[in-house]
Amino acid sequence: MSQSRSLLLLSVVALFFLVLTYANHFDNGFYFDDSHTITDNVYIRNIKNIPLFFTNSETASILPGNRSYRPVVVTANAIDYWLAGNKYNQRWFHYDIFLNYILQLLLMFFFYKKIFDIANPHRWNPYIAFIATAYYGFHTANAETVNYIICRSDSLSTFFVMAAFVAYQTERLRKYYLYLIPLAIGLFTKQPTAMFPPLLLLYVFFFEEKGTWNDVFADRNGATWLSTLKKTAPAWIATIVLFAINIKMTPMSPINKGASKID
């Protein structure tokens, strides 16, 4: 059996057991923060409000102290509400979140494989990448983000981080800076996406520039760091600009006015 066919067979088997593992979660209802962000949020009940989500942070929650600028998440909730027939059918929300999780795993496979091929080209690399992806996919630590509907912000932002990485690894997409698109969408999904530039910096330094741990502090002429910073500069610039917009759009209330937006 060829490698591609064996990987396809393994993927089908893994997908079957992943669906089986999460088969009993599709009827999980709306809990905790789902109330003020989804079930009591009148804005998501009209799909025509989508443009408003990007200009008015008050649409994110009915609680002033819990509002943050995550328009992509609010948009996803509005679309699922619309797909469910303009009603709160949790299954449609779970279908969407679970599909996103599967696509994230697919991106992670290609991401891992690329790293392994750079580090040590070998015919077993696709299988090692598959095992790494499966380990993550079945790990119980991810169960909350898949089960808890509003926690889709975590899984969705992680999906866009992985999409940005895979796009960066693809030479044709990197050439035209298209990896910045999923980065931008991710920053409008949840703020931790801002960790992409430092992660990209480490990826470029160690895998593309072949830097070592000794080079981290002993790169005397700074050539490795200079090349790394040059390659990652677009991601840093885009993140700083978009994150500044994000902070500006995050509303303050009597509840959270004493807190730092940056913190």
Side-chain angles (χ1 to χ4, degrees):
M1 183 182 293
S2 65
Q3 186 182 78
S4 58
R5 287 188 177 183
S6 60
L7 282 171
L8 179 60
L9 178 61
L10 286 171
S11 299
V12 171
V13 173
L15 178 60
F16 171 78
F17 282 105
L18 187 67
V19 173
L20 187 64
T21 300
Y22 282 97
N24 65 343
H25 98 287
F26 293 104
D27 287 319
N28 287 349
F30 300 93
Y31 300 99
F32 306 114
D33 289 341
D34 291 340
S35 61
H36 64 85
T37 57
I38 302 175
T39 57
D40 294 334
N41 188 352
V42 297
Y43 289 105
I44 73 163
R45 299 175 191 173
N46 189 342
I47 200 169
K48 294 181 180 180
N49 285 332
I50 288 180
L52 185 64
F53 302 154
F54 291 83
T55 59
N56 187 353
S57 298
E58 292 182 1
T59 59
S61 170
I62 65 171
L63 300 179
N66 292 76
R67 289 167 180 163
S68 57
Y69 188 62
R70 298 171 185 173
V72 174
V73 177
V74 187
T75 297
N77 290 331
I79 291 174
D80 290 340
Y81 180 84
W82 174 71
L83 289 173
N86 290 320
K87 59 184 179 180
Y88 290 108
N89 184 339
Q90 68 273 13
R91 278 183 165 266
W92 284 94
F93 289 80
H94 286 302
Y95 291 151
D96 188 5
I97 294 169
F98 191 66
L99 177 60
N100 170 256
Y101 189 57
I102 293 173
L103 293 176
Q104 178 194 325
L105 294 176
L106 183 63
L107 289 172
M108 291 179 72
F109 168 79
F110 291 110
F111 175 67
Y112 287 145
K113 181 180 178 299
K114 181 68 173 183
I115 287 180
F116 296 148
D117 287 341
I118 293 174
N120 183 28
H122 195 278
R123 64 189 182 91
W124 287 105
N125 284 350
Y127 297 103
I128 300 173
F130 173 82
I131 293 171
T133 303
Y135 178 79
Y136 176 94
F138 286 97
H139 202 293
T140 54
N142 298 312
E144 181 180 14
T145 58
V146 178
N147 279 273
Y148 186 11
I149 294 177
I150 196 56
C151 264
R152 73 189 310 168
S153 58
D154 290 302
S155 59
L156 193 56
S157 61
T158 304
F159 166 80
F160 287 119
V161 168
M162 293 311 309
F165 261 118
V166 174
Y168 182 87
Q169 290 175 328
T170 307
E171 186 175 350
R172 185 174 298 178
L173 299 179
R174 186 199 306 194
K175 179 180 178 182
Y176 297 103
Y177 303 101
L178 295 182
Y179 64 92
L180 297 178
I181 295 177
L183 171 62
I185 299 174
L187 285 167
F188 289 159
T189 303
K190 195 168 186 178
Q191 290 79 0
T193 305
M195 286 304 297
F196 174 74
L199 291 173
L200 180 64
L201 183 141
L202 294 175
Y203 169 81
V204 172
F205 185 86
F206 287 112
F207 294 104
E208 292 192 355
E209 295 300 317
K210 307 297 182 182
T212 65
W213 284 109
N214 290 331
D215 294 329
V216 173
F217 301 105
D219 185 15
R220 302 188 183 283
N221 59 8
T224 305
W225 276 116
L226 187 62
S227 179
T228 298
L229 290 172
K230 182 179 179 180
K231 287 183 177 180
T232 60
W236 284 101
I237 295 171
T239 299
I240 291 172
V241 172
L242 292 172
F243 198 68
I245 295 173
N246 197 300
I247 292 176
K248 183 178 181 181
M249 291 296 296
T250 300
M252 301 306 288
S253 73
I255 298 175
N256 61 21
K257 67 178 181 180
S260 167
K261 289 184 178 181
I262 296 179
D263 290 342

